[in-house]
Amino acid sequence: MGIRVAVAGASGYAGGELLRLLAGHPEFDLVAATAHTQAGARVSAVHPQLAGLDLTLAETGPATLADADLVFLALPHGQSAALAAQLPAGVRVVDLGADHRLADAAAWTRYYGGTHAGAWTYGLPELPGARAAIAGSERVAATGCYAAATSLALAPLIAAGAVEPADVVVVASSGTSGAGRAAKVNLLGSEVMGDLTPYKVGAHQHVPEIKQATGATGLSFTPVLAPMPRGILATVTARPTGSADAREVLAAAYADAPFVHLLPEGAWPHTAATLGSNSCHLQVATDVDSGRVIVTSAIDNLGKGAAGQAVQCANLMFDLPETTGLSVFGVAP
Amino acid sequence: MGIRVAVAGASGYAGGELLRLLAGHPEFDLVAATAHTQAGARVSAVHPQLAGLDLTLAETGPATLADADLVFLALPHGQSAALAAQLPAGVRVVDLGADHRLADAAAWTRYYGGTHAGAWTYGLPELPGARAAIAGSERVAATGCYAAATSLALAPLIAAGAVEPADVVVVASSGTSGAGRAAKVNLLGSEVMGDLTPYKVGAHQHVPEIKQATGATGLSFTPVLAPMPRGILATVTARPTGSADAREVLAAAYADAPFVHLLPEGAWPHTAATLGSNSCHLQVATDVDSGRVIVTSAIDNLGKGAAGQAVQCANLMFDLPETTGLSVFGVAP
Amino acid sequence: MGIRVAVAGASGYAGGELLRLLAGHPEFDLVAATAHTQAGARVSAVHPQLAGLDLTLAETGPATLADADLVFLALPHGQSAALAAQLPAGVRVVDLGADHRLADAAAWTRYYGGTHAGAWTYGLPELPGARAAIAGSERVAATGCYAAATSLALAPLIAAGAVEPADVVVVASSGTSGAGRAAKVNLLGSEVMGDLTPYKVGAHQHVPEIKQATGATGLSFTPVLAPMPRGILATVTARPTGSADAREVLAAAYADAPFVHLLPEGAWPHTAATLGSNSCHLQVATDVDSGRVIVTSAIDNLGKGAAGQAVQCANLMFDLPETTGLSVFGVAP
Amino acid sequence: MGIRVAVAGASGYAGGELLRLLAGHPEFDLVAATAHTQAGARVSAVHPQLAGLDLTLAETGPATLADADLVFLALPHGQSAALAAQLPAGVRVVDLGADHRLADAAAWTRYYGGTHAGAWTYGLPELPGARAAIAGSERVAATGCYAAATSLALAPLIAAGAVEPADVVVVASSGTSGAGRAAKVNLLGSEVMGDLTPYKVGAHQHVPEIKQATGATGLSFTPVLAPMPRGILATVTARPTGSADAREVLAAAYADAPFVHLLPEGAWPHTAATLGSNSCHLQVATDVDSGRVIVTSAIDNLGKGAAGQAVQCANLMFDLPETTGLSVFGVAP
């Protein structure tokens, strides 16, 4: 008898990827998946890639979730805090949403609106000390997709004093699944194929999360929507301090991390190489003209940026090897 | 100590997918991967999605392969027969190429040129009697990608007498990985994105294989190159005989097949839903105007159309459950 | 002072393409563009590709249209007939919708529902006698996108007796703009990229239009949604009668057609090669196994399949050269 | 009798786009197109989108070009200088390559290698004073694609003292046609679809051109390859000086520029909206956290980034309206 697991918000893209990962997980038993407007539908009718999975979506609520040992929340921001508050102590919870990520309540209110529900353990296992903190927590807020790609590139450099935290410039492009599954004209295939477009320029809600996770004190962050279903490529630039070599810092930081790969010199990250995996591919260079350190980082936004990250955290919470049920390798081409 | 496995032709797309599947297979130990011009390169330099796989490509030849219990051949047609002839008896071999698929030597010579090397057990496990034949064979010729998609849609209907074998019309579209990894201008991203184009119209080399696998006696087959890396969608039409219901025939044929899913009425196959999996999704309808039976079939051309199919055959050859190391679920969106 | 032109239904994809073509047309003056929910918006806010076009969308209705010399209707089926009935005689009208295409009222009701509004001159100029009929008409129903691609491939062959009309099989794949601009989950970029899927299999509403335009008496038609914004590739197969050579028939039929190109032997149609143009590219082959004639046909579904076709018809209605304001050449790569 | 025009290097992507534009240009008569390995081929065999263009590729060399009034050079760097030197005075030349763009010979040698052939008038008409300089020149070096997108966003801001020139950070993503038409594995559709990857990080050859065109003194430039055939999206960030408003500066700079559109507030550039056009779409914002000015810029890399730009320059050289034969509007969706 394995660990009983439920997914709330299973009709979206992150929810679907969670179901896929959980269906193949050797220790977690998927016992319930819930949704709101899609409640009552077969999972395979909502997620055609899960044809053969014998499960029906239940209505999201504590009644359908409280019986599980572990609950994943893949809900819009604002909703997960309300639901989590109704789950009994003892049920471990991993929230894929933003409600519990920020320690700074004022920052939360400024970017998301409403009242801050309080911070949980931040779920990016590769940050210093994070594995132990996650393993000892009953409630974990898994990192967001842009924050995952950016923080893995940047956090060790700031922590080691290799780059200045006050002048970080990030441009990050995401596949369309990062924008969710709501039916919107600007997300139609006809509109996004062949197109690159920036959005929320100047004030993206992930800025405070990235600053918190990395220690950056000044951050310019520009997100771009890219014509592909999945993947984030973050280009992170900062001024070197001269006190440490960026490559050596990254190599040391991830020497024992199974999912973070600092590529050999001359190889560049490809988002496609991370598809379906929980891996992050990094490369670092120094700009000959400006002298800036440039770290490029590729992840699958639904993998290391969402569902994979959440499962990795859950593995730690249940003392399982962190790679259990997750793939290091991407599905390419 | 597991079963020792080697892959010849590991630098191509089918070879890369084999390595990905074998790296996650619980019973097969990947001991060697070989290539020709890429021999000496790290696998992860050739297949960036395999970053973290500690393996170097050896030179293709019997010296690097004969030590394995099982060898997969993912080579251009003509090359696998020559290499297989040099492997000792007792080494089980699954050929992903065309050299040993056809029983009809004249047909082989007509479509491929050169001398026919002889037929092996045909590796499409879902055909009647095929599982036992494969399990009892040391040499298996795994089915081709177009033949897999088409035969799963058509073979049971002809076997059951539900459709006439003399007038089958198939149009099948494939993602670009089906055209291989050789650098050709017409396969550049700039040329294929946003484009659909037919090719080899009127005389495709997969026609005799499809006829052999399905029992069709008259076959019009038109392949189309589609703007996506993976996936085949085959539209198979034939005249009903009136003696059996097509839907019932397909449902019965695949009642116990873990990888073949006849979708509920109203749902249509999506190639994206099979990505990275070994599944085939089928749907059947009757054309109100012409009365033809139309079966549509979706697979991942590198999964059920190549590497996944080959691993499924190998599982049977080693008395493992046929799903071992393979995914039923696709990576989507 | 040019010919005063208005577009009703300018907020959709066909409407946007009409605006683009009309903005560059040397004889037509675009005086009004109308929409419903988007009325009041700047055209460039709805169609970002038209940045720089100084025009605001008016409310769709006779008040905003009756003042024009020529009105294009790019409306959902059912709406164009109602609006057309309110336009004064003397205003020439080209309808891009289906309301007036079919001569057979029963067929219209069966596939579209509701009452048939009556047939107008059918707007496919390359059909025998069509140019004169269009030139002499005040009301023209431009052909649909699938019907355009299919009929250009098939109509001359049936007219010449080169193929049998009773057993035609067509599989045609369309880019996503053919499915319109309504916000639907199944049309999101995340869902369609990397995906091929059939739809409306067995009973597509374009069947009676294709039969009427081509003379086919038995037609199996399967549409497929392809991962690209624009383009249709139709694969049309039929049995040869032996009484005429298909290639010669097509060459003769289009010898003087500026937009229809029978490609040299060995070249295959590419949808990308027709992007943004009003051209149709054709190629013909004979299947060695089945003996069927296979004609493949590529168009831009918004060009020769919608807006370009409509402008070509309008050119004829105003005694302009049929190529006025239209491009023969595609935008590629 | 129009102006006689020839294109050298007509087999590549920029060359093909030049032919498309010239075929529709009312004042320029396309009299010759040349290539090297493709010499002797029909243009439509090399560029299927030009089916119907009755022209054969000649061998590149002065013999086939010197008879023209105007020659466009679309050749690899190093080759255009050698050819241009053989063309008689009086033949006007627009070079789409890099050979004559840089005034700084040392910079040229550092990034391109070899001997600098000398600078020509720099062909970005929207720079201050550039129209007159181009109009008075017999030889013009049209700007590169990345430089066009970046300079239109940045040059007016530095010229007006609105931003500091010493700390400019640019991340720019390009469609695959920017990487050329040579057959390379890393440019295959199978590799690029679904993928974002940076390249030449830290030392891209366009850095000195951008610095020259904009006055930037410190520039971090990271190029990214994006999964689409065409388009560049540049994200340009710099520190404001406080002495001028960035939006007002850009609005004033392009008030009379027909091809550069500063979008209304709230609208963001889309590369797809510029496809096939010679337009550049700009938007500006201020980052709330870092205070940086962020300008995003979208062009068609083969339009305003190559062939369109070159035709615009040629129009000026022959005293034609700069929009002659060029489209302000993009082909979308």
Side-chain angles (χ1 to χ4, degrees):
Chain A
M1 181 67 193
I3 297 157
R4 295 167 54 84
V5 179
V7 174
S11 59
Y13 292 137
E17 183 71 352
L18 271 171
L19 297 183
R20 183 180 76 85
L21 294 174
L22 293 171
H25 196 287
E27 305 294 338
F28 293 154
D29 288 349
L30 181 61
V31 295
T34 77
H36 186 52
T37 55
Q38 302 271 13
R42 303 278 298 166
V43 162
S44 57
V46 176
H47 298 295
Q49 75 273 22
L50 301 179
L53 183 65
D54 187 15
L55 193 67
T56 296
L57 292 171
E59 179 66 40
T60 299
T64 49
L65 299 167
D67 190 38
D69 302 310
L70 168 65
V71 173
F72 292 98
L73 304 176
L75 297 164
H77 70 78
Q79 297 185 16
S80 57
L83 182 58
Q86 297 175 274
L87 295 176
V91 175
R92 288 190 176 82
V93 182
V94 179
D95 186 4
L96 283 75
D99 287 12
H100 300 286
R101 285 183 198 144
L102 295 188
D104 180 345
W108 202 91
T109 300
R110 189 176 331 122
Y111 281 92
Y112 293 98
T115 305
H116 184 225
W120 290 357
T121 299
Y122 189 66
L124 183 48
E126 289 81 5
L127 291 183
R131 282 187 184 81
I134 294 166
S137 296
E138 289 210 339
R139 307 271 154 131
V140 170
T143 183
C145 54
Y146 280 122
T150 303
S151 300
L152 291 170
L154 182 62
L157 299 180
I158 291 180
V163 300
E164 293 174 7
D167 178 32
V168 176
V169 177
V170 178
V171 177
S173 300
S174 174
T176 54
S177 62
R181 205 179 190 182
K184 297 178 182 174
V185 168
N186 68 311
L187 297 177
L188 290 177
S190 301
E191 312 265 333
V192 301
M193 287 187 280
D195 190 39
L196 283 172
T197 186
Y199 64 101
K200 293 189 188 170
V201 179
H204 194 277
Q205 73 272 17
H206 287 179
V207 166
E209 181 182 349
I210 296 171
K211 291 175 73 178
Q212 170 182 300
T214 64
T217 56
L219 174 66
S220 171
F221 179 79
T222 303
V224 172
L225 191 69
M228 55 195 200
R230 293 193 186 202
I232 286 181
L233 182 77
T235 299
V236 180
T237 82
R239 301 186 169 285
T241 58
S243 68
D245 178 79
R247 187 171 189 83
E248 290 174 8
V249 168
L250 291 171
Y254 300 120
D256 298 321
F259 292 119
V260 184
H261 306 274
L262 178 63
L263 300 181
E265 291 191 61
W268 297 103
H270 290 265
T271 60
T274 68
L275 188 103
S277 82
N278 196 46
S279 286
C280 173
H281 292 188
L282 298 175
Q283 184 52 285
V284 60
T286 300
D287 195 278
V288 296
D289 190 80
S290 71
R292 277 183 174 260
V293 169
I294 304 175
V295 189
T296 51
S297 168
I299 63 169
D300 181 336
N301 60 298
L302 295 180
K304 188 64 180 168
Q309 184 87 281
V311 170
Q312 185 184 357
C313 290
N315 286 338
L316 293 167
M317 293 163 81
F318 283 90
D319 284 326
L320 300 169
E322 65 183 307
T323 57
T324 310
L326 295 170
S327 178
V328 170
F329 304 125
V331 178
Chain B
M1 183 66 193
I3 298 157
R4 296 167 54 84
V5 179
V7 174
S11 60
Y13 291 136
E17 184 72 349
L18 271 170
L19 297 183
R20 182 180 76 86
L21 294 174
L22 294 171
H25 197 287
E27 305 294 338
F28 292 155
D29 289 348
L30 180 62
V31 297
T34 78
H36 186 52
T37 56
Q38 301 271 13
R42 304 276 300 165
V43 162
S44 57
V46 176
H47 298 296
Q49 74 273 24
L50 301 179
L53 185 65
D54 187 16
L55 192 67
T56 297
L57 293 171
E59 180 65 42
T60 298
T64 49
L65 299 168
D67 190 36
D69 303 310
L70 167 64
V71 173
F72 292 97
L73 303 177
L75 297 164
H77 70 76
Q79 297 185 16
S80 57
L83 180 58
Q86 298 175 273
L87 295 177
V91 175
R92 287 188 177 83
V93 182
V94 179
D95 186 5
L96 282 76
D99 287 12
H100 301 285
R101 285 183 199 144
L102 296 187
D104 180 345
W108 202 91
T109 300
R110 189 178 332 121
Y111 280 92
Y112 293 97
T115 305
H116 185 224
W120 291 356
T121 300
Y122 188 66
L124 183 48
E126 288 83 4
L127 292 183
R131 282 187 184 82
I134 293 166
S137 296
E138 289 211 337
R139 307 272 154 129
V140 170
T143 182
C145 53
Y146 280 122
T150 304
S151 301
L152 291 170
L154 181 61
L157 299 180
I158 291 180
V163 299
E164 293 174 6
D167 178 31
V168 176
V169 178
V170 179
V171 177
S173 300
S174 173
T176 54
S177 62
R181 205 179 189 182
K184 297 178 182 173
V185 168
N186 68 311
L187 296 177
L188 290 177
S190 301
E191 313 266 332
V192 300
M193 287 186 281
D195 190 40
L196 284 171
T197 186
Y199 63 102
K200 294 188 187 171
V201 180
H204 194 275
Q205 73 272 17
H206 288 179
V207 167
E209 181 183 349
I210 296 169
K211 292 175 71 177
Q212 170 183 301
T214 64
T217 57
L219 175 65
S220 171
F221 179 79
T222 303
V224 172
L225 190 69
M228 55 193 200
R230 294 194 184 201
I232 287 181
L233 182 77
T235 299
V236 180
T237 83
R239 300 186 171 285
T241 58
S243 70
D245 178 80
R247 184 169 191 85
E248 289 173 10
V249 168
L250 291 171
Y254 300 121
D256 298 321
F259 292 119
V260 184
H261 306 274
L262 178 62
L263 300 181
E265 292 191 63
W268 298 102
H270 290 265
T271 60
T274 67
L275 187 104
S277 81
N278 197 47
S279 286
C280 174
H281 292 190
L282 297 175
Q283 185 54 286
V284 61
T286 300
D287 196 279
V288 295
D289 191 81
S290 70
R292 277 184 175 259
V293 169
I294 304 175
V295 189
T296 50
S297 167
I299 62 168
D300 180 337
N301 60 299
L302 295 180
K304 188 65 179 167
Q309 183 88 280
V311 170
Q312 185 184 358
C313 289
N315 286 339
L316 293 166
M317 294 162 81
F318 283 90
D319 284 325
L320 300 169
E322 66 183 307
T323 57
T324 310
L326 295 170
S327 178
V328 170
F329 305 124
V331 179
Chain C
M1 182 69 192
I3 298 157
R4 296 167 54 83
V5 179
V7 174
S11 60
Y13 291 137
E17 184 72 350
L18 271 171
L19 297 183
R20 182 180 76 85
L21 294 174
L22 293 171
H25 196 287
E27 304 295 338
F28 293 154
D29 288 348
L30 180 62
V31 296
T34 77
H36 186 52
T37 56
Q38 302 272 12
R42 303 278 299 166
V43 162
S44 57
V46 176
H47 297 296
Q49 74 274 23
L50 301 180
L53 185 65
D54 186 16
L55 193 66
T56 297
L57 292 171
E59 180 65 42
T60 298
T64 48
L65 299 167
D67 190 37
D69 303 310
L70 167 64
V71 173
F72 292 97
L73 304 176
L75 298 165
H77 70 77
Q79 298 185 14
S80 57
L83 181 59
Q86 299 176 272
L87 295 177
V91 176
R92 288 189 177 83
V93 182
V94 179
D95 185 5
L96 283 76
D99 287 13
H100 300 285
R101 286 183 198 142
L102 296 187
D104 180 345
W108 203 90
T109 300
R110 189 178 331 121
Y111 281 92
Y112 293 98
T115 305
H116 185 225
W120 290 357
T121 300
Y122 189 65
L124 183 47
E126 288 82 3
L127 291 184
R131 281 187 185 82
I134 294 166
S137 296
E138 290 211 337
R139 308 268 153 133
V140 170
T143 182
C145 53
Y146 281 122
T150 303
S151 300
L152 291 170
L154 181 61
L157 299 180
I158 292 179
V163 300
E164 293 173 8
D167 178 32
V168 176
V169 177
V170 178
V171 177
S173 300
S174 174
T176 53
S177 62
R181 205 179 190 182
K184 297 178 182 174
V185 168
N186 68 312
L187 296 177
L188 290 177
S190 301
E191 313 267 331
V192 301
M193 288 186 280
D195 191 39
L196 283 171
T197 186
Y199 63 103
K200 294 188 187 170
V201 180
H204 194 275
Q205 73 271 18
H206 287 178
V207 167
E209 181 183 349
I210 295 170
K211 291 174 73 176
Q212 170 183 301
T214 64
T217 56
L219 175 65
S220 170
F221 179 79
T222 304
V224 172
L225 190 69
M228 56 194 200
R230 292 193 186 203
I232 287 181
L233 182 78
T235 300
V236 180
T237 83
R239 301 187 171 284
T241 59
S243 69
D245 179 79
R247 184 170 191 84
E248 290 173 9
V249 169
L250 292 171
Y254 300 121
D256 298 321
F259 293 119
V260 184
H261 306 274
L262 178 62
L263 300 181
E265 292 192 61
W268 298 102
H270 290 264
T271 60
T274 68
L275 187 103
S277 82
N278 197 47
S279 286
C280 174
H281 292 189
L282 297 175
Q283 184 54 285
V284 61
T286 299
D287 196 279
V288 296
D289 191 81
S290 69
R292 277 183 176 259
V293 169
I294 304 175
V295 188
T296 51
S297 167
I299 63 168
D300 180 336
N301 60 299
L302 295 180
K304 188 66 178 166
Q309 183 88 281
V311 170
Q312 185 184 358
C313 290
N315 286 338
L316 292 167
M317 293 163 82
F318 283 90
D319 283 325
L320 300 169
E322 64 183 308
T323 57
T324 310
L326 296 170
S327 179
V328 170
F329 304 124
V331 180
Chain D
M1 180 69 190
I3 298 157
R4 295 167 55 84
V5 179
V7 174
S11 60
Y13 291 137
E17 184 71 351
L18 271 171
L19 297 183
R20 182 180 76 85
L21 294 173
L22 294 171
H25 197 285
E27 305 294 339
F28 293 154
D29 288 349
L30 181 61
V31 295
T34 77
H36 186 52
T37 56
Q38 302 271 14
R42 304 277 299 165
V43 161
S44 57
V46 175
H47 298 294
Q49 74 272 25
L50 301 179
L53 184 64
D54 187 16
L55 193 66
T56 297
L57 292 171
E59 179 66 40
T60 298
T64 48
L65 299 167
D67 190 36
D69 303 309
L70 168 64
V71 174
F72 291 97
L73 304 176
L75 298 164
H77 70 77
Q79 297 185 16
S80 57
L83 181 59
Q86 297 175 274
L87 295 176
V91 175
R92 288 190 177 81
V93 182
V94 179
D95 186 4
L96 283 74
D99 287 12
H100 300 286
R101 286 184 199 143
L102 296 187
D104 180 346
W108 203 90
T109 301
R110 190 177 331 122
Y111 281 91
Y112 293 98
T115 305
H116 185 224
W120 289 357
T121 300
Y122 188 66
L124 183 48
E126 288 83 3
L127 290 184
R131 281 187 184 81
I134 294 166
S137 297
E138 290 211 336
R139 307 271 153 131
V140 170
T143 183
C145 54
Y146 281 122
T150 303
S151 300
L152 291 170
L154 181 62
L157 299 180
I158 291 179
V163 300
E164 294 174 6
D167 178 31
V168 176
V169 178
V170 178
V171 177
S173 300
S174 174
T176 54
S177 62
R181 206 179 189 182
K184 297 179 182 174
V185 168
N186 67 311
L187 297 177
L188 289 177
S190 300
E191 313 265 331
V192 301
M193 287 186 281
D195 190 39
L196 284 171
T197 186
Y199 63 102
K200 294 189 188 170
V201 180
H204 194 276
Q205 73 272 15
H206 286 178
V207 167
E209 182 183 349
I210 295 170
K211 292 174 74 177
Q212 170 182 303
T214 63
T217 57
L219 175 65
S220 171
F221 179 80
T222 303
V224 172
L225 191 69
M228 54 194 200
R230 294 193 184 203
I232 286 181
L233 181 78
T235 300
V236 180
T237 83
R239 300 185 171 284
T241 58
S243 69
D245 179 80
R247 185 170 191 84
E248 290 173 9
V249 168
L250 291 170
Y254 300 121
D256 298 321
F259 292 119
V260 184
H261 305 275
L262 178 63
L263 300 180
E265 292 192 61
W268 297 103
H270 289 265
T271 60
T274 68
L275 188 104
S277 82
N278 197 46
S279 286
C280 173
H281 292 189
L282 297 175
Q283 184 52 286
V284 60
T286 300
D287 195 280
V288 296
D289 190 81
S290 71
R292 278 183 175 259
V293 170
I294 304 175
V295 189
T296 50
S297 168
I299 63 169
D300 180 336
N301 60 299
L302 295 180
K304 188 65 180 166
Q309 183 88 281
V311 170
Q312 186 184 357
C313 290
N315 285 340
L316 292 167
M317 293 163 80
F318 283 90
D319 285 325
L320 300 169
E322 65 184 307
T323 56
T324 310
L326 295 170
S327 178
V328 170
F329 304 124
V331 179

